[in-house]
């Protein structure tokens, strides 16, 4: 167990490829619990992302700048190394359906082994976001569907641009 410290900031890490209204719901709920929320965009070199690391950081920074007490940073490497370096030990993650539980459980236990003073806080989104995921957004958008009601405006615009570029490349 750790000693009680004054908590000033919590970290909300993820790939955010792209950020959705579900993520934003978690950020707002985390902000209700902690004075400051730092959204940490992971480079995640192992994942085949639609948006590049730079693009994801830019989008999340734009979205965060409109929310009081919310900031964004990009990071490359192991989450616990970032936490240790910055003396932060609170991590927020979103929990949707049971399907998230297995992965989050493994992730938490592994991180705790590596950094015993870390605490993971799981936040449940509003029920309208329960079935929302970045992959679903990418799938709907790639099939020509309208994702406007599930993502911030900047994501809707960027995803359209991205898919147009893909189509042009495919056709030529
Ligand atoms: P990761 O690759 O780390 O899972 P994601 O960007 O997919 O990154 O998700 C980051 C966090 O946000 C995870 O804890 C995930 O469960 C949560 N999350 C994703 N979509 C939603 C949603 N619609 N509602 C609540 N939490 C969500």
């Amino acid at each position: 167990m750790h000693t009680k410290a004054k908590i000033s900031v919590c970290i909300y890490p993820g790939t955010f490829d792209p950020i959705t209204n579900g993520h934003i719901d978690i950020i707002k709920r985390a902000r209700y619990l902690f004075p400051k929320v730092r959204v940490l965009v992971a480079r995640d070199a192992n994942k085949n992302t639609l948006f590049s690391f730079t693009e994801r950081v830019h989008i999340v920074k734009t979205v965060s700048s409109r929310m009081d007490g919310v900031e964004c940073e990009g990071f490359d490497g192991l989450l616990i190394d970032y936490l240790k370096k910055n003396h932060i030990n609170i991590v927020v993650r979103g929990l949707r359906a049971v399907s998230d539980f297995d992965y989050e459980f493994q992730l938490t236990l592994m991180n705790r082994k590596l950094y015993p003073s870390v605490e993971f806080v799981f936040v449940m989104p509003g029920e309208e976001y329960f079935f929302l995921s970045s992959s679903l957004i990418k799938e709907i958008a790639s099939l020509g569907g309208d994702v406007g009601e599930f993502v911030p405006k900047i994501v809707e615009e960027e995803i359209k641009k991205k898919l147009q570029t893909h189509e042009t490349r495919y056709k030529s």
Side-chain angles (χ1 to χ4, degrees), residues 12 21-31 92-95 123-125:
Y12 178 35
N21 292 345
H23 291 123
I24 294 172
D25 185 70
I26 297 296
I27 295 172
K28 287 183 180 158
R29 288 171 197 273
R31 181 62 187 81
V92 168
R93 296 282 289 175
L95 258 196
V123 177
M124 210 174 99

Side-chain angles (χ1 to χ4, degrees), residues 145-168:
D146 182 5
V147 295
E149 80 179 90
F150 310 112
V151 294
K153 194 92 196 136
I154 180 174
V155 171
E156 189 188 357
E157 289 163 2
E158 292 298 322
I159 216 164
K160 263 189 206 143
K161 276 194 234 161
K162 180 70 73 180
L163 293 169
Q164 270 164 8
T165 329
H166 274 209
E167 265 170 35
T168 323

Side-chain angles (χ1 to χ4, degrees), residues 12-18 20-23 26 44 47 92-96 100 103-104 107 123-125 129-134:
Y12 178 35
T15 316
F16 304 104
D17 184 43
T20 70
N21 292 345
H23 291 123
I26 297 296
D44 250 330
K47 277 192 191 160
V92 168
R93 296 282 289 175
L95 258 196
R96 287 162 292 185
D100 274 343
Y103 174 68
E104 296 294 337
L107 195 74
V123 177
M124 210 174 99
Y129 306 114
F130 243 69
F131 297 99
L132 184 53
S133 66
S134 301

Side-chain angles (χ1 to χ4, degrees), residues 46-148:
N46 296 328
K47 277 192 191 160
N48 202 354
T49 56
L50 174 65
F51 290 97
S52 70
F53 177 54
T54 316
E55 288 167 334
R56 284 180 284 129
V57 172
H58 167 69
I59 294 172
V60 180
K61 273 199 172 153
T62 307
V63 173
S64 306
S65 67
R66 296 182 194 133
M67 287 185 274
D68 183 45
V70 181
E71 54 193 32
C72 164
E73 245 181 51
F75 93 110
D76 191 4
L78 218 48
L79 174 64
I80 50 143
D81 288 338
Y82 177 92
L83 297 172
K84 281 180 185 169
K85 199 171 146 205
N86 292 278
H87 309 284
I88 302 172
N89 62 354
I90 304 287
V91 177
V92 168
R93 296 282 289 175
L95 258 196
R96 287 162 292 185
V98 190
S99 52
D100 274 343
F101 186 80
D102 227 24
Y103 174 68
E104 296 294 337
F105 198 77
Q106 275 184 34
L107 195 74
T108 306
L109 289 180
M110 179 51 80
N111 277 302
R112 262 209 211 150
K113 273 233 150 49
L114 299 168
Y115 183 29
S117 61
V118 71
E119 251 345 304
F120 276 67
V121 177
F122 293 96
V123 177
M124 210 174 99
E127 58 191 41
E128 63 271 43
Y129 306 114
F130 243 69
F131 297 99
L132 184 53
S133 66
S134 301
S135 25
L136 199 59
I137 292 300
K138 287 181 276 189
E139 204 172 317
I140 297 171
S142 71
L143 295 171
D146 182 5
V147 295

